[in-house]
Each structure stands twice: as C-alpha cells, then as structure tokens.
Amino acid sequence: MNRQRLVVIGNGMAGARTVEEILARGGDFDITMFGDEPYGNYNRIMLSNVLAGVEDESGIFLNDLSWYADNGITLHAGVRIDRIDRSKKTVHGSDGSVTPYDKLVVATGSSAWVPPMKGVHVPGRGYHQGVFVFRTLDDTRAMIRYAREHERAVVIGGGLLGLEAARGLQNHLGHVTLVHAMGHLMNTQLNERAGRTLQATIEKKLGIDVVVDGMTTEILGKHAVTGVKLADGRVIDCDVVVVAAGIRPNSQVAADSGLTVERGIVVDDQMRAAGEDDIYVVGECAQHRGEVYGLVAPLWDQAKVLADHVTGVNAGVVYEGSQVATKLKVAGVDVAAMGLQSPEREDDELLEFAEPKRGVYKNVIIRDDRLVGATLVGDNSKALALIKAFEKGLPLPEDRASLLFDLGGPAAEESVADMPDDEQVCNCNGVSKGAICGVVQDGCGTVTGVMDKTRAGKGCGTCKSLVQRIVEWANGGEAEEDPAASYYVPGVPMPKPELMDAIRLYELRSVSSVFAKLGGEEDAKSKMGLASLLKMMWGDRYVDERDARFINDRVHANIQRDGTFSVVPQMKGGVTTPSDLKRIAEVAERHGVPMVKLTGGQRIDLLGIPKEKLPQIWAELDMPSGYAYAKSFRTVKTCVGSDYCRFGVGDSTALGIALEERYQGIEGPGKMKLAVTGCPRNCAEAYVKDLGVVAIDGGKWEIYVGGAAGAHVRKGDLLATVDSADEVIRLTGRFLQYYRENGNWLERTYAWVPRVGIERIRAVVVDDEDGIAADLDARMDATVGAYRDPWKERAEPVTPGQFRTSLPLTVLPQVPVRA
C-alpha cells in the first residue's frame, strides 16, 4: 500500500511544529513542505533578540536543513504556493511545480499589516527607502544594515512587536520614537493604567520617546525617509521608519482556491477547513469559533489536535480554543496578561495596585470565585501562579491580596515536585514539565543540553530558572555540569588552558595536526578559533592552512551581503595626508567604487569591491591593511590632542599612532578596538573601547579596559593610572597578551574583563603578582616582530583560487519552470 502524501503549505513555526507532532505520533506519510523563505524553520519570537544584538542568527533556527533530510521531508524553500486545486488535490507553486496531496495542511501564517499612509510605498519599487516592516529574518537583516548608517527612527505601533522593534533599534542608532495610534500601549492586552505605567517605564528607563493618540498619515521624504506626519499636523523627523502596527492572516491563497475565509480560514474543531475532509489549517491563518490567535501557545494546542486527527491517533479529538495567557519581557519590562483587562459585570471583583515610581501595576479580576483576568507590569513574581489559576480554574484564597503579594514572609517558589507532568513550562515553545523530565531520564542531565533538546527557555527566556529547577529535581538534586561549556572551541573537547598545554607539549602548529592528535569534530567554527589560537601561540612558526580561515581572513577583506568586499586601508590613529586622500579618491573613481564611507573608527571604507579586484585595489592604494575584517587588533581612534585642541592635556594623536604601529594586526579571541583621548572630555570615546587611554592633568594617563559601545554598552574599568606614554604602551601590550591567552574564542573584552574581574587583571598586568609579566611582554614582542602586512599577498596569492571571482550571496530571482 502506498504511503499517503502529506503536503504542508508554510514552513514557519506552526507548519514545522505540526510536522514534528505528526512524526512524534508515528505518522506514516510522504511529507512535502513549501516555504516562502529560503531557509529552514526559525523562531520568529527571537527576531527581536537578533535585532537587539543579543542573539546570533544561527541561534534562532529550530530546524536546519539537515532536519528535513533526516526525517525524509522534501522541502521547497523559497517557493510560494499560488493555488490549491481542490478537485484534483494538487497545489501549484511559484516555480511552476504541481504537487499532488492526499492530506493538505495550510500553515501560511500572517504578514505585517501596514495602515494606509501616504508615501509608504513607491510605485514599482515597494516600500519607500528607509521604510521597513518587522516580520521576517530578511526584514530584520535589512533594518540592521540600514539603521547602522542612520540616526533617528520612528516605530509605528505600540503593541508587543513595536515595543520590541524600538528596543532593538536603540542598539543601532541614536534616537527612537514610538508612535501609537491608540490611547495607551499594548491596548489589546493591557488596560489604560497598565499601558500608562509601561509607557512611563519605557520613556524613563530606556529613553524611548512615546507618542500615543498619534495616527500616522504620511511618510515624508522625496528620495528617502525624512520624517513622518501625524493626523494632528505634527511632524517627527527621522530617517528610518519601522511599521509594526499588527498582523493579518495570510489567507489569500485559501480564498482564491474556494475555501471559506472570514477574518482567517474558517476551521472546525478538528482543525479542518470548513466543509473539507482532507484540508487542515493551523496557526495564525486559522479562524476557530470566531477567534484568530496571534500568540504561539494556541498554535501548539492546534498542532497537537491536528496531528492527533490526521494520524488517527485520536479521531475524536476536539480543539475547544485556547486560554490566552502571556508572560514575557516587553522591551526589557516584565509583563503578564490573561483574560479580562477590566471588570465587565457589576459583581466582578477587582483588586488593583499601582506604584508608578517603581513602574509597577497589578490587577486581578475574579468572577464566581474564579480568576477571569489579571495584568502585571513591572513585577512578574506572581505570574506563574496566576496563569495556573486562570488556565485551570483553581480555587482562590480568601485573602485576595495574596494573589498579588507574598504576605507575611518571603516569596515561596512553586514546588517542582507538585507540578503535574502536563503543566506547560515554556509557553514560547510549548514544552511541559514531563517533556523536560523525559529528556533527563533519557540521559541528558545538563540544563543547556535539555534546553537544546526540548527548546525550553529558547524563546523569551523568562522560564529558564524554572527549567533549571526541573532539571535539578529530575536529576535528584543537582543539574550535571555541562563540560562543553568550558571548551575553547566546540570541536575539541578541552578548555583553553589544557588545549594550549597540549599544543605546546606536542608542538601542534597547524589546525589539522590539532584535530589529528587531540581528536574532536572538524567543524568550521572550531577551525577558525584554532587558527587564531595557533597563530597567537606560534607567531611565524605557525603552519597556515587556508581552509581553516573564514573567507574574510582568506582574502583579507570584509565580505558584504552581496558577495562583494570592503577595503579599509590603514590610517594610524585616524590621521592621513592629502596625498593618501587623493590616492584613495582616484582609486575609488577609477574603479567605480559604489560607496566610500567614513567608519566609526576614523577610517575610509571602500565598499562593493569584487573579490577578483582586491589585489589590484590594494596595489593601487599602496597602503597597509587596516584590519577591518579580522578577529584582531583593529584601530586606535584619537582626538586632536594637545597640539591643536584648547583643552588637550596629552598628545593623544602621537600615542594613538604609536599604539597602532606596534600592535597592528595581532590576532585575538575577538576584535580589539582602542582609543586615546587627550583629556577627560573624551572626544575619542575611550571609555567605551576594549582598551581606552585618557590624558589627565599632570602628564598622567588613565587606562580603561573592557568597554563597549556596540550591541552591548559598557563603560570600561580603570586598569591603571601611569606617568608616561611608554608605560601606556607597555601595559597595553601586557593586557592584550593576557586577554589573548585567556579569553574564550569570540569573547570580547567587555565580557572577559567582568568575568575574570578587574582586580585579578590588575594584579597580573600591573602588579605582577603571578610573576608572569616579563613572559607576557616577551610573547607580545615575538608577535609584534612576526608582523607581515597581509595585503602583500596581492603579488603572490597563497592559493590559485584565493582571488577567483565569487558568486553573489544574495538570493537571486527564480526563473519559473513550466511543465
């Protein structure tokens, strides 16, 4: 008997979760999936973390492409379904394909809703330049790229998505204004007092300007965004606009194909499309009993019911709708909401508490001794208990105040032992206590391992502490220590000190020899980390294997989204000459360089260079590499200093140039950005660099370490105050060498310094308590002595294909193929 053919339209969270549930029930189908985006399945909830810079893109994928192959699933990524032929039971793809089905699942999700506004679109071009929606990974990437080059953003929409967009954009540009058409923020989930409390916190603590009752009517700007205009005539200047005003179900293909569509695609209690036996609908595109859900927890409920029914595991299963309760962080503020916002009947009980100075608002609404609504802003300590009472209809205490406060003693943690196995722990990914315990019983006893296997804690992150407690309880008291957490690179099972000892013992001078001798998995990330470590340890005795390098390090230039490269010549201390400026301009003009950009590190960036042109560009510039591409010493930013500035008390320019001349290009676990400023006015932003030097009165210099001003913001710690430029150079080299030898791969100084502790670093680098200062100095001297300008490879490429033409990295238009 032939296996039934199951086709899924949609490769988002709902579609992929449904397939997972079907596989878990032993569903015997030939499965084919179609997705608009050219990727595997990723967690859209985490896009705000990607935008904010606290999560890497790779960390948000739920199922990579190998998962589909491992489960025998045929995935057509980047292919949209244009039509469903219900009579012939086929679906027609944008690539011209026709795919038959026995059972069909429609999981087309939703798309960003853009309110009617003048100027938001440009005929024939799509959105006006500088206008973005916030829905997909590509949307997020585009926003990050554009925002980094601009100054002011307006986010339209004061719901959850708009708030997260505003918070994330703060990491890329200087000023963000949130404009909301309604009278208070998150009006769908919160009442007016709660919304006002949230607004006050966001304005005061985050520095985001909030405008409510602000209907945006027009996007201003002829060639690119210059501002937005509101209905009352106000104009807000900006050069970036993000529309996050809500979502609408993607139901057009269903409507065009004859399915019943109202707000969404109408389904019955088994998640079948109205009047259809073989077509199911799941997720944000589905309308069940008049409700359309935009949160993930109901999607997981729907996926389970659909999987039960389509596999025959439970033919009588019924989806009765979902109790919507949310507990999350909104732009860093704790928020929980469930059920009613305010009383609706005269006999409804209301308990309400507000403490505006602390940004706290709480209420509970009780009807017939059952919790029918609750709102928490600024304090989620009682959220789990309230959600349980709301969802399960539990009896409530006579003393209603105990629902919001811990009376007469400290807060009592919920007993893990008393939690039923089916209680949901992670709402974002639909993970129960039983699922977590099952993974532990199968032999995974580490918190990170359990999170990887179940995805619990991988959404908004608010359940991580509970996940840890459950893992500890299931382990009989303590979670196992995850040894992989201490590995320097994931492919070699050794912490950095042990790895370096073994490398020295066996004189392993190439990446391949490390894997051959020490074992482990030869993956790309490990190769790059090992290449950096070996070069740092062996200097000119390191055996270079080009396949161990990332593309940037193979061609000594920073790869861009379209496959071209960025060329940044060295300008020590940000100082240049008229002849160098003229030469750069002539090269850019001669080769038609698409963009010439001044960087934040006081350098000139030539963008859009094809790989095969790099050697010629370098030769014509005849300048050293500026190292704008590597995990290495990058630049030293300087101010004018004492020669010209009226306030300068130290020659920051000369010291910055001296530092850059000495330490140019040295390898490190992460990028190293420096600055020297001639007085505490700090024009070179030295306080927020990996290492910053500040001139103070009396001819002295302060050295700060571990600062950051990118996706993370941190003022550096004071390492030492010294009397001379020579001492600055000596301690700088010693600090950088200590960091190079002890920092984890990809760990920037702003994470390493607080991890190790400034007192410990000062003891080693300044006071020499361990007696290793001379050794650190000597090893740095050896590294400095081995320096070679990588752009010299223009004359003699290391490999024949080093500068061969590369293909563009952007997804190219697909040419339809007709049968």
Side-chain angles (χ1 to χ4, degrees), residues 799-812:
T799 62
Q802 184 176 3
F803 300 110
R804 185 179 297 145
T805 304
S806 58
L807 296 173
L809 296 184
T810 51
V811 179
L812 299 176

Side-chain angles (χ1 to χ4, degrees), residues 476-532:
E478 287 186 4
E480 295 176 11
E481 184 177 348
D482 184 1
S486 65
Y487 297 165
Y488 178 64
V489 291
V492 181
M494 300 176 76
K496 187 174 185 180
E498 294 177 19
L499 176 60
M500 292 176 66
D501 288 344
I503 288 170
R504 290 192 185 101
L505 175 65
Y506 298 112
E507 294 195 355
L508 306 175
R509 297 180 185 175
S510 69
V511 171
S512 60
S513 68
V514 172
F515 283 118
K517 185 67 178 178
L518 304 180
E521 184 179 346
E522 203 166 325
D523 66 295
K525 286 185 178 179
S526 296
K527 285 183 175 183
M528 288 186 285
L530 287 172
S532 174

Side-chain angles (χ1 to χ4, degrees), residues 209-244:
D209 291 341
V210 178
V211 177
V212 295
D213 288 319
M215 179 71 71
T216 307
T217 58
E218 185 176 356
I219 308 295
L220 305 176
K222 183 176 181 181
H223 302 293
V225 169
T226 60
V228 299
K229 186 176 182 180
L230 307 186
D232 60 9
R234 280 181 291 174
V235 171
I236 302 174
D237 294 333
C238 65
D239 42 28
V240 179
V241 171
V242 175
V243 182

Side-chain angles (χ1 to χ4, degrees), residues 425-708:
V425 175
C426 177
N427 289 325
C428 293
N429 287 308
V431 185
S432 66
K433 173 195 169 185
I436 294 171
C437 293
V439 170
V440 175
Q441 290 161 8
D442 288 342
C444 180
T446 67
V447 175
T448 54
V450 168
M451 289 172 63
D452 287 340
K453 288 181 179 294
T454 64
R455 298 177 189 152
K458 294 276 191 173
C460 70
T462 57
C463 65
K464 284 182 180 179
S465 60
L466 181 56
V467 172
Q468 179 169 350
R469 286 167 49 212
I470 294 171
V471 173
E472 290 171 349
W473 176 80
N475 260 326
E478 287 186 4
E480 295 176 11
E481 184 177 348
D482 184 1
S486 65
Y487 297 165
Y488 178 64
V489 291
V492 181
M494 300 176 76
K496 187 174 185 180
E498 294 177 19
L499 176 60
M500 292 176 66
D501 288 344
I503 288 170
R504 290 192 185 101
L505 175 65
Y506 298 112
E507 294 195 355
L508 306 175
R509 297 180 185 175
S510 69
V511 171
S512 60
S513 68
V514 172
F515 283 118
K517 185 67 178 178
L518 304 180
E521 184 179 346
E522 203 166 325
D523 66 295
K525 286 185 178 179
S526 296
K527 285 183 175 183
M528 288 186 285
L530 287 172
S532 174
L533 180 65
L534 291 171
K535 190 172 182 182
M536 184 270 291
M537 292 177 65
W538 296 113
D540 57 3
R541 293 183 290 163
Y542 161 63
V543 178
D544 188 7
E545 296 169 327
R546 287 301 165 114
D547 68 339
R549 296 187 180 204
F550 180 56
I551 179 62
N552 285 5
D553 300 295
R554 291 201 299 273
V555 301
H556 315 300
N558 198 15
I559 195 165
Q560 305 299 303
R561 181 174 186 263
D562 60 355
T564 63
F565 290 83
S566 162
V567 170
V568 181
Q570 187 182 62
M571 290 181 176
K572 296 171 186 174
V575 177
T576 187
T577 64
S579 61
D580 280 347
L581 286 176
K582 184 178 180 181
R583 189 182 308 124
I584 293 170
E586 289 172 345
V587 170
E589 192 172 60
R590 190 157 51 242
H591 291 278
V593 174
M595 178 180 284
V596 180
K597 179 79 176 65
L598 296 180
T599 73
Q602 300 175 333
R603 305 299 185 268
I604 294 178
D605 191 354
L606 307 181
L607 290 147
I609 310 296
K611 185 169 73 169
E612 64 274 15
K613 274 195 169 187
L614 289 173
Q616 184 180 359
I617 295 282
W618 295 339
E620 293 182 19
L621 286 172
D622 194 25
M623 299 171 71
S625 169
Y627 287 93
Y629 55 85
K631 305 301 180 202
S632 68
F633 185 102
R634 289 290 186 91
T635 58
V636 182
K637 189 173 183 177
T638 68
C639 66
V640 174
S642 56
D643 283 352
Y644 292 95
C645 180
R646 292 182 295 126
F647 305 102
V649 294
D651 191 350
S652 57
T653 306
L655 179 53
I657 291 172
L659 286 168
E660 191 160 346
E661 284 179 340
R662 177 162 176 78
Y663 301 117
Q664 57 191 344
I666 61 170
E667 300 280 332
K671 294 180 282 190
M672 292 166 277
K673 297 182 177 181
L674 283 71
V676 184
T677 192
C679 77
R681 290 170 183 265
N682 192 31
C683 292
E685 302 162 351
Y687 295 120
V688 288
K689 297 296 184 184
D690 292 286
L691 188 146
V693 182
V694 180
I696 59 175
D697 288 336
K700 296 180 182 293
W701 300 89
E702 293 178 333
I703 304 173
Y704 291 84
V705 295

Side-chain angles (χ1 to χ4, degrees), residues 705-729:
V705 295
H712 302 271
V713 179
R714 182 180 191 272
K715 182 181 178 182
D717 296 322
L718 180 63
L719 176 69
T721 301
V722 299
D723 296 323
S724 68
D726 288 342
E727 204 168 352
V728 169
I729 293 173

